[in-house]
Amino acid sequence: MSNNRGRGLQANALGTFDTVVMAVAGSAPAYSLAATTAVLVGAVGLASPAALLYCAIPMLGIALAFSYLGRIDVNAGASYSWVGRTLHPFLGFMSGWALVVSATIFMVAGSLPAGSMTLALFDEQLADDTALSTVVGAGWFLLMLCVVLGGARLTVRAQLLMSGVELAILALFAALAVVHTGGARAFDWSWLGFGQFDGLSGFASGALIAAFYYWGWDVTSNLSEETRNSRRTTGLAGLIGVGIVFLLFEVFTIAVNIILTSRQIASNDANVLAVLGEEVWPGWGGKLLIVAVMLSTIATLETTLIQVTRSLFAMGRDRTMPSALGRVHRTWNTPWVAIAVVGGVALLMFIASNALGTVGDILSDAISAMGLQIAVYYGLAGLAVVVAYRKMLLKSAANFLFGGVWPLFGALFMFWIFVESLGELSGAAITIGIGGLAVGLWPMLWYWRRGSDYYRPARLDATRTIEAEYVPDDHANAQSRAYEGLPTDF
């Protein structure tokens, strides 16, 4: 199905540890907590830990779907390829498009906090200046653009540094929060139950926001053509990543419920984590957590750039988008045209976002809109794995549960929160979310009529796929030779 002619991405550049780090960084624990906690608390109140818990269970089902599908089809487009080869090429294209649009919107939603956090280190007042935050955030974005352009090895080295410091700070504050005495309220087990939600629609709106918290671990699948032994590694790293960020999200969300008042949360909508840090460790706490959030935001800009550019690369290679997007740089083995296009579009969106209001307003609508798009492509992947493995599901209990029932539950959950939350969201969020998806119909129909091979796929069937034998990370495998380029870097 894929057009594999010409130079490919840099094969065997990443190992298992690198890929796990990318999965955790993709979900951006510190950024998600800082930017999204106020939005989640605003939607479901004290039930925020429950929303994260009940979204983690179906999210693991989707991670299992990515793991199983990654074993039988190694493709930088991930769900774009899998859904197209199992359900229908139109659905596959819309799956890839949903990722591209949500990731592009995130360039703005992520760069703004990166700018405001950087300014907050020097002056709290400057952090509220949307225009200045946009300029500084755009600077960080351009730096990450250059890192992603410079190759998979450079990308992962930068990621190890940023995420390593971020996770060390978060671990320290998780421990401090546990031993902290005094606070706004005492812990209550009902925070993890269904009773706190305002009916099913209230639960759906909370779950949609919680889906945004977790989003990003699937960057491992977009890196599959550049990962050693990727049929095993990318899926496993995604599952480990979801588990790690779930624990971090729960600890900090419960800490916010215990330590901060509702007024403190509402009045610090774009930076709840810094306020929590100040309460736990007066003087230094706020600053350290601002550093963690800044690093997390910059790190996740990098992983999101990887997701969108690798998806566009796969689309260009398949001629479902302009074929120039499938070009790989001779020296760095990265899809440089896709990276340049994403950079240009994002910078235009930075300028436009200044007309939309404050950092908090932009974040709230953007997060909800992205939640809708994420629900679409995760849900389709959950259905795709059931179709691809349909002949094997009854061969073992593990196949039935992990390759069938759990991913199917995850898919149905994603579609349910998509439909249920439409009645709860603002007009702006629905317009961005649904309108962004609708724009994809034009390139889809255009390239379908031009006869792209993608629209005549070789069906994906697990029974016809020969599983690659496990090869240790220090032994290069031949699994992605079709995409192999020169092993160069900056």
Side-chain angles (χ1 to χ4, degrees):
M1 179 201 70
S2 295
N3 178 7
N4 293 333
R5 290 171 298 173
R7 182 178 296 275
L9 300 171
Q10 184 178 328
N12 304 313
L14 308 179
T16 304
F17 180 73
D18 303 329
T19 318
V20 171
V21 169
M22 296 301 276
V24 174
S27 291
Y31 164 77
S32 298
L33 286 161
T36 323
T37 299
V39 182
L40 184 61
V41 171
V44 298
L46 294 174
S48 45
L52 288 165
L53 171 63
Y54 297 120
C55 193
I57 298 166
M59 190 60 75
L60 274 171
I62 303 302
L64 284 164
F66 273 71
S67 176
Y68 271 72
L69 287 164
R71 294 178 191 179
I72 57 174
D73 182 23
V74 175
N75 192 295
S79 61
Y80 154 80
S81 173
W82 304 331
V83 174
R85 293 181 62 189
T86 52
L87 305 181
H88 193 279
F90 283 1
L91 289 175
F93 181 88
M94 292 312 294
S95 180
W97 185 257
L99 189 155
V100 167
V101 175
S102 56
T104 306
I105 294 170
F106 179 79
M107 300 307 170
V108 177
S111 296
L112 278 169
S116 62
M117 292 296 157
T118 306
L119 293 167
L121 287 173
F122 304 99
D123 186 343
E124 288 288 341
Q125 301 303 314
L126 287 176
D128 295 326
D129 186 329
T130 306
L132 193 57
S133 294
T134 305
V135 170
V136 177
W140 280 121
F141 171 76
L142 288 170
L143 179 62
M144 288 302 103
L145 200 72
C146 292
V147 169
V148 170
L149 183 63
R153 288 202 185 107
L154 179 66
T155 302
V156 84
R157 283 174 198 145
Q159 195 60 258
L160 287 167
L161 176 65
M162 294 184 290
S163 294
V165 176
E166 173 205 351
L167 292 172
I169 294 172
L170 286 179
L172 170 65
F173 277 88
L176 290 173
V178 169
V179 299
H180 181 76
T181 54
R185 53 187 76 82
F187 172 74
D188 193 322
W189 283 104
S190 70
W191 297 346
L192 295 167
F194 276 104
Q196 296 273 0
F197 292 108
D198 181 20
L200 274 181
S201 60
F203 171 66
S205 60
L208 188 75
I209 297 162
F212 172 78
Y213 269 82
Y214 291 107
W215 176 56
W217 53 265
D218 50 306
V219 66
T220 60
S221 297
N222 298 107
L223 284 166
S224 60
E225 293 180 25
E226 296 153 272
T227 304
R228 289 195 290 279
N229 197 45
S230 68
R231 291 180 191 270
R232 167 189 173 271
T233 304
T234 55
L236 178 64
L239 286 162
I240 293 169
V242 172
I244 291 171
V245 296
F246 165 70
L247 291 173
L248 286 169
F249 290 155
E250 283 294 352
V251 167
F252 277 92
T253 308
I254 290 169
V256 165
N257 273 5
I258 293 172
I259 295 167
L260 301 183
T261 63
S262 301
R263 188 175 171 186
Q264 280 177 302
I265 296 168
S267 59
N268 293 279
D269 54 358
N271 194 9
V272 169
L273 217 53
V275 182
L276 178 71
E278 200 59 41
E279 289 285 334
V280 173
W281 186 1
W284 277 96
K287 291 284 189 204
L288 275 174
L289 277 177
I290 285 174
V291 170
V293 174
M294 184 185 81
L295 287 171
S296 177
T297 313
I298 298 163
T300 202
L301 278 176
E302 185 193 84
T303 59
T304 311
L305 272 167
I306 287 170
Q307 286 200 278
V308 70
T309 55
R310 296 314 188 265
S311 296
L312 287 172
F313 164 77
M315 290 171 154
R317 185 172 63 189
D318 290 342
R319 306 288 198 272
T320 58
M321 290 281 276
S323 58
L325 294 169
R327 284 187 198 152
V328 172
H329 196 279
R330 286 189 170 278
T331 307
W332 305 322
N333 290 100
T334 50
W336 67 274
V337 177
I339 292 169
V341 168
V342 169
V345 170
L347 288 174
L348 288 174
M349 288 174 66
F350 292 153
I351 296 164
S353 71
N354 273 280
L356 298 177
T358 66
V359 175
D361 294 337
I362 294 167
L363 280 179
S364 182
D365 286 337
I367 286 166
S368 298
M370 282 184 278
L372 290 173
Q373 292 153 359
I374 293 160
V376 167
Y377 88 85
Y378 276 177
L380 288 171
L383 293 181
V385 73
V386 178
V387 175
Y389 278 84
R390 64 192 181 281
K391 296 173 187 173
M392 297 179 68
L393 293 180
L394 297 178
K395 291 192 175 180
S396 74
N399 275 4
F400 184 70
L401 177 61
F402 300 131
V405 174
W406 204 339
L408 181 61
F409 167 66
L412 295 175
F413 183 85
M414 292 297 158
F415 293 136
W416 175 74
I417 60 173
F418 177 90
V419 173
E420 194 71 27
S421 61
L422 286 176
E424 299 286 310
L425 296 178
S426 68
I430 292 174
T431 304
I432 297 167
I434 306 296
L437 290 174
V439 170
L441 295 174
W442 180 76
M444 182 184 80
L445 294 172
W446 173 264
Y447 285 98
W448 168 63
R449 291 196 64 179
R450 294 190 66 177
S452 163
D453 286 345
Y454 174 82
Y455 294 105
R456 296 186 297 276
R459 307 302 291 179
L460 195 58
D461 186 341
T463 57
R464 293 203 299 266
T465 304
I466 301 168
E467 291 258 0
E469 293 296 319
Y470 170 62
V471 181
D473 273 344
D474 54 355
H475 291 77
N477 74 324
Q479 164 273 113
S480 56
R481 292 288 179 226
Y483 311 113
E484 188 167 22
L486 299 175
T488 52
D489 212 326
F490 261 168

